[in-house]
Amino acid sequence: MILLITGGARSGKSSYAEGRVAALPGRPCYIATSEIRDAEMAERIAHHRARRGPEWREREATFDLVAALTETDGDGPRLVDCVTLWLTNLVLTDRDWQAELNALLAALPAQQSPVIFVTNEVGLGIVPENALARAFRDAAGLVNQALAAAADEVQFVVSGLPLKVK
Amino acid sequence: MILLITGGARSGKSSYAEGRVAALPGRPCYIATSEIRDAEMAERIAHHRARRGPEWREREATFDLVAALTETDGDGPRLVDCVTLWLTNLVLTDRDWQAELNALLAALPAQQSPVIFVTNEVGLGIVPENALARAFRDAAGLVNQALAAAADEVQFVVSGLPLKVK
Amino acid sequence: MILLITGGARSGKSSYAEGRVAALPGRPCYIATSEIRDAEMAERIAHHRARRGPEWREREATFDLVAALTETDGDGPRLVDCVTLWLTNLVLTDRDWQAELNALLAALPAQQSPVIFVTNEVGLGIVPENALARAFRDAAGLVNQALAAAADEVQFVVSGLPLKVK
C-alpha cells in the first residue's frame, strides 16, 4: 500500500501521517530525509521524534530512498518524511533528481510493507522571482504528480484535516 | 457553533463567510482584526463594509479577541475577519501568540452565539527566503490547525467555492 | 459548457485539461495565451505541443480572448491555457484587465462549443513583499472567482488529481 500525504507547510501533514501509520500493523519505521543543516531544522526533528514515541524504528535517507525502503521492508509501515526535503537534497548537490525519482517509482511495486510519503505543495503562491526557486517548484510538482499517480491513496491536508483526492 | 473558513488571498473567503453569517438568526457582528496601517488596507476595509450593509454591528479587535467575543455574545453570529491579521498584529508587537491562542481556544466552548472565523492558508508556496516569514507561516499553520480542531465545521474556499474539509 | 480547471504550478492542470478536452466531440483547439518571452517559456510550450498531438488546432491570444473564442466557435472544444498568463499580459502592458474580464464574461453565454479554462491559484503562499506582486495576486484571485462563478464545473487539481469544487 502506497499512501501519499500532501499539503502546505505546518498543515498537520506529519501528524496526520503518524496517525495513519499507527493504525497499521507491525513496528513502524520513520525514514527521515532531512539533513540537519541548522538549528531550526534540528528543533523540528526533535519535536517530531518526541511526538512519535519509542516504538518507532528510525532511519536516515537523505539521498538513497530506494536502499532505505528495501532495507526496512517486511517489518511494518514506513513513513518517508518528507519527499520535498529529499528533492532539496538532490537538487542542492546537483544529483539527477529525475533518475532518482524513476528509481524510486520502479522500486515501489516490490514493497511488501506499506509506504507512507509526506510531501509539500509548493506551487500555490505567486511565481518566485529567482529562477532556481521556479525550477525547484517545477521539480517538486512533477515529483508529486508522479508519486500521486503511483499511490493507492492520496490525501491533501488542510489545517490538519485530510481531503481525499484519490 | 464554530465555523472556520480558510483559503488563499482573494479566494472569496470573506464573501462566502458573509453569506453564511447572513443565513444565521440574530443581528450579525463583524469583528475586524485589521489595524489600518496603510491606504491599501483602508481600501479593502471600506470595500468589505460597503458589501456587508448597515444591519451589521461592528467591533475592532486587533489583539483581544476573547474580550470582543465575550462582549458581543448573545445577540447573533460574530464574523472574525481575519485570524491571520490578528496573528500578524500579535507577532509584530512581540506578544505571546501561543498564549493568546490558548486563551481564545479556552473561550470558545462558552460562546452562545455562533463564531465564524476567516483565516488564510499561507504555507502552500515556495519556502520564504527570510526567517521571519518562515516563522510566521509556521505560526499561521499551527493557529489554523488548532482552530480547525476546535471547529464544528471547516470549509476550504477555492476560487470562491467552498470545499468541506470538516 | 464552461469548465474551469485551477491549481498550483506544475500540479498537472494542463494534462488533466487535455484529457477532458479529448473526451469531447469535435476537433479541439488550443488557445495559447503565452507570449514567448524567454527560453524557459519556449521550452514549456514545445513540451505541451508535443504532448497534445497533431489533431489539435492552435491559436494565439495574448490579449483578445473574446476574438479567439468567437473565431473558433462551432468546431469543437477550446482549451484556454492559461488565464493567469493572459492576466499577466494585460497587467504588464497596462491594459484594463477588469474591462477585459467583463468582456470575456459577457461573451461566454453565447459560446456554442465548450470552453475549458486553465488557471493558477497564486494566493496560498506568504504575502509577497512587493506591492505589484500583491496587486497581481489580488487580480488573479478576482479573475478566478469570476470565472468560477460563470463556469458549469470547477476542478481544483492537486498533484495531478482533480477535486471537484463545483
Side-chain angles (χ1 to χ4, degrees):
Chain A
M1 192 271 280
I2 310 295
L3 165 58
L4 179 71
I5 297 169
T6 188
R10 291 288 186 180
S11 63
K13 303 178 306 291
S14 293
S15 180
Y16 173 73
E18 289 165 19
R20 290 295 303 267
V21 167
L24 293 166
R27 191 176 176 205
C29 180
Y30 184 80
I31 300 180
T33 59
S34 49
E35 284 209 297
I36 305 176
R37 278 191 304 266
D38 53 33
E40 195 177 315
M41 207 167 276
E43 199 186 323
R44 284 197 180 205
I45 289 167
H47 175 78
H48 281 196
R49 185 176 289 156
R51 187 173 59 188
R52 282 195 305 273
E55 71 280 13
W56 285 68
R57 293 174 289 161
E58 241 179 77
R59 199 185 180 297
E60 275 187 31
T62 46
F63 300 112
D64 196 348
L65 267 184
V66 173
L69 290 174
T70 305
E71 289 165 31
T72 59
D73 199 15
D75 293 324
R78 281 79 48 84
L79 171 54
V80 177
D81 192 356
C82 72
V83 171
T84 315
L85 271 176
W86 171 69
L87 179 65
T88 304
N89 297 338
L90 296 173
V91 167
L92 288 181
T93 54
D94 275 327
R95 279 170 169 89
D96 181 350
W97 65 266
Q98 187 71 63
E100 297 291 335
L101 172 63
N102 290 340
L104 176 60
L105 293 170
L108 289 182
Q111 300 299 312
Q112 304 289 314
S113 305
V115 184
I116 291 86
F117 290 104
V118 170
T119 194
N120 282 262
E121 294 295 323
V122 299
L124 291 143
I126 210 81
V127 180
E129 280 176 45
N130 88 66
L132 193 65
R134 284 200 303 278
F136 180 79
R137 79 170 189 162
D138 280 359
L142 294 171
V143 168
N144 286 354
Q145 283 185 54
L147 288 177
D152 303 294
E153 180 184 339
V154 179
Q155 298 279 357
F156 176 52
V157 178
V158 175
S159 294
L161 301 163
L163 263 171
K164 187 164 188 161
V165 289
K166 182 180 181 179
Chain B
M1 191 271 280
I2 311 294
L3 165 59
L4 179 71
I5 298 170
T6 188
R10 292 286 186 180
S11 64
K13 303 179 304 292
S14 294
S15 179
Y16 172 74
E18 289 165 20
R20 290 295 303 266
V21 168
L24 293 166
R27 191 176 175 206
C29 179
Y30 184 80
I31 299 180
T33 60
S34 48
E35 285 209 295
I36 305 177
R37 278 192 304 268
D38 53 32
E40 194 177 317
M41 209 167 277
E43 199 187 326
R44 284 196 181 207
I45 289 167
H47 174 77
H48 282 196
R49 184 177 291 157
R51 188 172 59 188
R52 283 194 302 274
E55 73 278 14
W56 285 68
R57 292 173 289 159
E58 240 179 79
R59 200 186 181 297
E60 274 189 30
T62 45
F63 300 112
D64 197 347
L65 268 185
V66 173
L69 290 175
T70 306
E71 289 164 31
T72 59
D73 200 13
D75 293 325
R78 282 79 48 83
L79 171 54
V80 178
D81 193 357
C82 74
V83 171
T84 315
L85 270 175
W86 170 69
L87 178 65
T88 304
N89 297 337
L90 296 173
V91 167
L92 288 182
T93 53
D94 275 326
R95 280 170 168 88
D96 181 349
W97 66 265
Q98 187 71 62
E100 298 290 337
L101 172 64
N102 290 340
L104 176 60
L105 294 170
L108 289 182
Q111 300 300 311
Q112 303 289 315
S113 304
V115 184
I116 293 85
F117 290 105
V118 170
T119 194
N120 282 261
E121 294 295 323
V122 298
L124 291 143
I126 210 81
V127 181
E129 279 176 45
N130 86 66
L132 194 65
R134 284 200 303 277
F136 180 79
R137 78 171 190 162
D138 280 358
L142 293 172
V143 168
N144 287 353
Q145 283 184 54
L147 288 177
D152 303 294
E153 180 184 339
V154 180
Q155 298 280 358
F156 175 52
V157 178
V158 175
S159 295
L161 302 163
L163 263 170
K164 187 166 190 161
V165 289
K166 183 179 181 179
Chain C
M1 191 272 280
I2 310 295
L3 165 60
L4 179 70
I5 298 169
T6 188
R10 291 287 186 181
S11 62
K13 301 179 305 292
S14 293
S15 180
Y16 172 74
E18 289 164 19
R20 290 295 302 267
V21 168
L24 293 167
R27 192 177 175 204
C29 178
Y30 185 80
I31 299 180
T33 61
S34 49
E35 284 209 296
I36 305 176
R37 279 191 303 268
D38 54 31
E40 196 177 315
M41 206 166 278
E43 199 186 323
R44 285 198 180 204
I45 289 166
H47 175 76
H48 282 196
R49 185 177 290 157
R51 188 173 58 187
R52 282 194 303 275
E55 72 280 13
W56 285 68
R57 292 174 289 160
E58 241 179 79
R59 199 184 180 298
E60 274 188 30
T62 45
F63 300 111
D64 197 348
L65 267 184
V66 173
L69 290 175
T70 305
E71 289 166 30
T72 59
D73 199 13
D75 293 325
R78 281 78 47 84
L79 171 54
V80 177
D81 193 356
C82 74
V83 171
T84 315
L85 271 175
W86 171 69
L87 179 65
T88 304
N89 297 337
L90 295 174
V91 168
L92 288 182
T93 54
D94 275 325
R95 280 170 169 89
D96 182 348
W97 66 264
Q98 187 72 61
E100 298 291 336
L101 172 63
N102 290 340
L104 176 61
L105 293 170
L108 289 182
Q111 300 300 312
Q112 304 289 315
S113 305
V115 184
I116 292 87
F117 290 104
V118 170
T119 193
N120 281 261
E121 294 296 322
V122 300
L124 291 142
I126 210 81
V127 181
E129 280 177 44
N130 87 66
L132 193 66
R134 285 200 302 278
F136 180 79
R137 79 171 188 162
D138 280 358
L142 293 172
V143 168
N144 287 352
Q145 284 185 54
L147 288 176
D152 303 294
E153 180 185 338
V154 181
Q155 299 279 358
F156 176 51
V157 178
V158 175
S159 295
L161 301 164
L163 264 170
K164 186 166 190 161
V165 288
K166 182 180 182 179

